[in-house]
Amino acid sequence: MEETPNTSVTAPSAEAPTDFIRDIVREDLASGKYRPEEIQTRFPPEPNGYLHIGHAKAICLDFGVAKEFGGKCNLRMDDTNPGKEDREYYDSIQEDINWLGYEWNGDVKFASDYFPKMYEFAVLMIQKGLAYVDDQSADEIRATRGTPFEPGVNSPWRDRTIEENLDLFQRMKDGEFPNGAKVLRAKIDMAHPNINFRDPVMYRILHEAHQRTGNQWCIYPMYDWAHGLEDSLEGVTHSLCTLEFEIHRPLYNWFLEPLPIPRKPRQIEFSRLNLTYTVMSKRKLLRLVQEKYVSGWDDPRMPTVRGFRRRGYTPSSIRNFVAAVGITKFNGVTDMGVLENTLREELNHDAPRYMAVLHPLKVTLTNYPEGQVEWLEAVNNPEKPEDGTRKIPFGRQLFIEQDDFQEVPPPKYFRLSPGREVRLRWGYFIKCNDVVKDAQGNVVELLCSYDPETKGGNAPDGRKVKGTIHWVEASNSVSATVREYDRLFKTPEPDAVEEGHDFLENLNPDSLHVLTECRLEPGLAALPPETRVQFERLGYFVTDWRDHKSEAPVFNKTVSLKDSWAKIVKKG
Ligand code: ATP
Ligand code: MG
């Protein structure tokens, strides 16, 4: 039995969102600690992958809080680890934040720009007797850290003089020692109950070129030491991060305490976003890309911001979803269905309706004049009468969906079958009189008659039909490719694998169906990429961001009309 994911959400409200973080900011304003324009947050991505929906939560919070209270939010590339430049990630991060509807304060910031200042502060820590150079190896340091139940062991180098430490640290910086030969450690307490306080490493030696600073540095700062300094140097007031940093917060504060920083930032933690049927770690997403399980970071099945974008999600649907999930201190897994519902509600209101036939079956209206085409009126969006109507062609040759016809209709099947009459959406009643089959006995064409009196969908004699189906007129229709997607993973928590197993074993082998030779009403081909529409009775679709062209239309299925998945899961 699969675990039931957490589906409870607070209703999105039109008013300003409220949560414990926003309450803290409100208090800081009310108490006069900060003026509105002083409120400052930051979003600090490591530029080593594309942004995913979890990052979107952090972005909506960091940028949202700043915007709501009249403050600023910095975009800071957290590039404290040397590595090669990845322009692609760096560019995509900025583009995705803009797409989500946010703008950062001033230029993009880089953690590496603060290396000189961080070094100065480290020297100050040594001068205050709060840091020392340790010659132990990484393994020795790990082995002497102790456990939550046993204290650690002091390093034999812990009591070096300030002068000696200053000299050695300088020489570490100057490149005199090989990788791993020495580290700079904070001098706190090797018996501290919080293991993070047992003389944490502040700097390590790494003779490796950095994407921005080149070979200027061969010592690199560790996260706990660096992050609070970056925040302080930028004037961040509220440093919002995910819960796993809660246990690091006392250290964040300890490092800032002795330094000449007039206004200390406050770190506040909130729970990460987790979604069912997907994975969120960049390392795992990278594997999906590199091992070609998906077409790229923007594959519409990916939980990346651009995957969702290409799938047809709107920036507002993602923002509203984040608002609906809310900001709390409790880790949980949110049902993917919640995200889909947020989008569905929006598209139901906004998306213009069209007709498209994905699995075409030919229909000939034997009593309709050969060569004649008439133009019928169709409502663009019943939810938005102001969007008006359009003209759609009607003629002797039509296409309907294969499954809207059954030669032997099962009970409660109200669509087309021999001798049965149905309504064509925005058109006429038609009746099936005969079927044409191929050599294998497959139905390849229906011979029908239409009732000219039923134009617009009603019979003057008052007779009723039970079924209404969609269709397109053949001679004016355009051929298109339509991609239908299913969940990328077949289990709700694909990360939860037993020892010796790999999350890739949980991939859904059947998550993409490419339908070619679909038939669309003519107006659909000319739409620009990234246009969202409803195909009547079929769902919401979007013209593909990358591949759609009016000569060769490509649509991606965004989401179904109803939450059919919930039903399937219940049944299963
Ligand atoms: P990953 O584990 O996917 O590599 P990360 O935390 O290492 O993620 P960063 O680039 O360091 O990725 O993240 C930038 C910011 O986004 C951080 O402040 C981090 O807390 C936040 N963030 C990352 N994942 C999530 C998530 N699932 N939910 C909410 N915030 C997240
Ligand atoms: Mg990280």
Side-chain angles (χ1 to χ4, degrees):
M1 186 63 207
E2 284 157 356
E3 237 176 89
T4 321
N6 169 21
T7 52
S8 67
V9 292
T10 30
S13 105
E15 292 141 42
T18 279
D19 51 61
F20 74 97
I21 292 181
R22 288 171 166 94
D23 287 344
I24 291 172
V25 177
R26 273 187 205 101
E27 279 162 30
D28 287 345
L29 290 170
S31 71
K33 184 174 180 190
Y34 298 120
R35 292 191 308 275
E37 66 275 17
E38 288 175 325
I39 298 297
Q40 193 170 328
T41 57
R42 87 289 172 261
F43 175 65
E46 194 177 338
N48 61 351
Y50 282 70
L51 299 179
H52 53 57
I53 186 86
H55 293 123
K57 176 178 178 177
I59 290 168
C60 291
L61 180 66
D62 291 325
F63 288 91
V65 163
K67 201 165 167 177
E68 285 152 37
F69 292 99
K72 302 189 268 283
C73 178
N74 285 356
L75 170 58
R76 180 201 309 148
M77 299 294 169
D78 187 0
D79 61 350
T80 48
N81 291 317
K84 56 178 174 14
E85 167 127 43
D86 228 321
R87 209 57 231 180
E88 183 192 350
Y89 297 143
Y90 168 77
D91 290 342
S92 74
I93 288 169
Q94 298 181 54
E95 210 179 301
D96 288 351
I97 294 172
N98 286 149
W99 181 78
L100 282 169
Y102 298 107
E103 277 175 37
W104 48 91
N105 165 44
D107 293 335
V108 177
K109 312 283 190 290
F110 293 87
S112 57
D113 285 349
Y114 311 128
F115 284 168
K117 205 73 198 161
M118 289 177 192
Y119 179 79
E120 256 178 59
F121 282 137
V123 168
L124 204 61
M125 294 294 279
I126 297 173
Q127 284 166 344
K128 287 177 182 274
L130 296 173
Y132 63 98
V133 173
D134 192 349
D135 295 3
Q136 293 184 110
S137 68
D139 284 342
E140 285 167 321
I141 291 175
R142 206 171 306 120
T144 52
R145 260 185 120 196
T147 68
F149 316 103
E150 290 166 63
V153 180
N154 281 0
S155 165
W157 311 102
R158 199 172 194 265
D159 294 318
R160 278 178 161 149
T161 64
I162 289 174
E163 289 63 38
E164 194 181 352
N165 282 319
L166 287 172
D167 173 60
L168 287 172
F169 186 50
Q170 164 89 46
R171 287 161 59 194
M172 276 170 67
K173 170 179 176 270
D174 292 344
E176 266 189 48
F177 309 113
N179 290 355
K182 293 185 175 6
V183 292
L184 183 73
R185 290 179 82 173
K187 192 170 180 176
I188 312 181
D189 180 0
M190 287 306 289
H192 202 285
N194 182 342
I195 291 202
N196 292 307
F197 273 80
R198 297 188 186 167
D199 292 9
V201 174
M202 296 163 65
Y203 273 95
R204 66 202 198 286
I205 301 173
L206 214 60
H207 292 271
E208 213 175 292
H210 183 277
Q211 57 271 36
R212 282 175 65 82
T213 57
N215 292 315
Q216 204 180 330
W217 295 89
C218 62
I219 53 170
Y220 290 98
M222 305 301 286
Y223 182 92
D224 283 324
W225 164 244
H227 205 84
L229 297 182
E230 295 158 21
D231 287 341
S232 304
L233 292 168
E234 288 179 9
V236 168
T237 55
H238 300 83
S239 178
L240 314 178
C241 62
T242 38
L243 276 184
E244 65 274 21
F245 293 103
E246 189 164 28
I247 185 119
H248 297 253
R249 190 199 327 138
L251 186 56
Y252 177 102
N253 294 335
W254 186 91
F255 276 133
L256 298 183
E257 223 322 283
L259 297 174
I261 292 160
R263 203 173 66 177
K264 315 260 192 242
R266 172 169 176 189
Q267 176 183 306
I268 310 168
E269 312 83 19
F270 62 96
S271 60
R272 295 179 87 83
L273 177 73
N274 298 300
L275 267 188
T276 54
Y277 297 99
T278 193
V279 293
M280 212 88 93
S281 113
K282 278 185 278 193
R283 196 173 43 79
K284 288 181 179 156
L285 296 177
L286 182 63
R287 274 190 72 192
L288 292 172
V289 173
Q290 284 180 334
E291 297 174 30
K292 302 213 183 321
Y293 291 102
V294 295
S295 64
W297 286 96
D298 65 356
D299 185 297
R301 291 165 293 177
M302 287 283 272
T304 50
V305 171
R306 44 191 58 203
F308 282 115
R309 173 174 178 182
R310 199 165 166 195
R311 183 72 172 261
Y313 278 75
T314 58
S316 50
S317 65
I318 294 178
R319 291 195 305 264
N320 290 337
F321 165 71
V322 169
V325 172
I327 301 296
T328 69
K329 285 253 185 206
F330 310 104
N331 274 322
V333 185
T334 301
D335 194 320
M336 182 73 96
V338 177
L339 177 57
E340 291 175 346
N341 260 328
T342 313
L343 178 68
R344 191 179 282 119
E345 269 170 37
E346 186 177 310
L347 293 179
N348 177 46
H349 186 260
D350 294 342
R353 275 59 167 168
Y354 287 93
M355 290 203 283
V357 174
L358 304 190
H359 302 276
L361 172 62
K362 205 160 123 187
V363 170
T364 301
L365 302 178
T366 51
N367 62 339
Y368 195 89
E370 200 114 25
Q372 180 179 311
V373 169
E374 64 182 299
W375 293 79
L376 305 174
E377 189 154 51
V379 172
N380 285 329
N381 184 350
E383 300 284 321
K384 278 169 107 180
E386 67 273 23
D387 284 359
T389 59
R390 69 187 184 286
K391 293 286 189 187
I392 53 173
F394 185 82
R396 184 179 161 92
Q397 301 275 350
L398 312 174
F399 291 111
I400 65 167
E401 292 296 339
Q402 285 166 14
D403 69 3
D404 280 337
F405 174 81
Q406 292 267 343
E407 199 168 9
V408 183
K412 296 203 182 146
Y413 183 86
F414 299 121
R415 293 170 268 167
L416 207 52
S417 53
R420 177 91 55 86
E421 198 173 39
V422 294
R423 176 189 293 110
L424 295 179
R425 180 79 160 149
W426 312 118
Y428 295 91
F429 287 8
I430 64 167
K431 183 174 180 176
C432 178
N433 304 312
D434 214 345
V435 302
V436 179
K437 295 185 180 176
D438 64 11
Q440 286 78 45
N442 302 312
V443 176
V444 292
E445 184 181 351
L446 306 179
L447 302 178
C448 302
S449 53
Y450 87 113
D451 178 355
E453 301 299 312
T454 57
K455 186 170 177 169
N458 288 303
D461 63 9
R463 78 180 187 278
K464 300 272 184 248
V465 290
K466 279 200 164 156
T468 300
I469 63 174
H470 63 275
W471 54 279
V472 295
E473 189 273 324
S475 68
N476 286 283
S477 70
V478 288
S479 171
T481 297
V482 176
R483 301 169 181 149
E484 290 189 307
Y485 300 98
D486 199 345
R487 304 274 197 264
L488 187 52
F489 291 92
K490 56 191 183 206
T491 52
E493 296 185 39
D495 271 330
V497 287
E498 285 175 20
E499 215 27 62
H501 289 266
D502 191 15
F503 76 103
L504 291 174
E505 292 166 34
N506 291 325
L507 274 170
N508 174 2
D510 208 22
S511 58
L512 170 63
H513 287 188
V514 181
L515 309 173
T516 54
E517 296 299 314
C518 303
R519 309 300 306 193
L520 312 180
E521 67 166 272
L524 282 165
L527 298 177
E530 294 196 81
T531 308
R532 300 166 187 93
V533 298
Q534 185 193 102
F535 290 167
E536 295 222 27
R537 298 177 64 226
L538 296 177
Y540 297 98
F541 292 79
V542 64
T543 45
D544 189 74
W545 185 12
R546 312 292 190 197
D547 303 331
H548 174 77
K549 293 184 190 66
S550 52
E551 322 83 79
V554 180
F555 284 78
N556 299 332
K557 184 162 182 180
T558 306
V559 68
S560 57
L561 291 178
K562 292 202 185 82
D563 189 357
S564 53
W565 186 267
K567 271 180 261 158
I568 294 165
V569 169
K570 249 184 229 153
K571 267 193 234 153

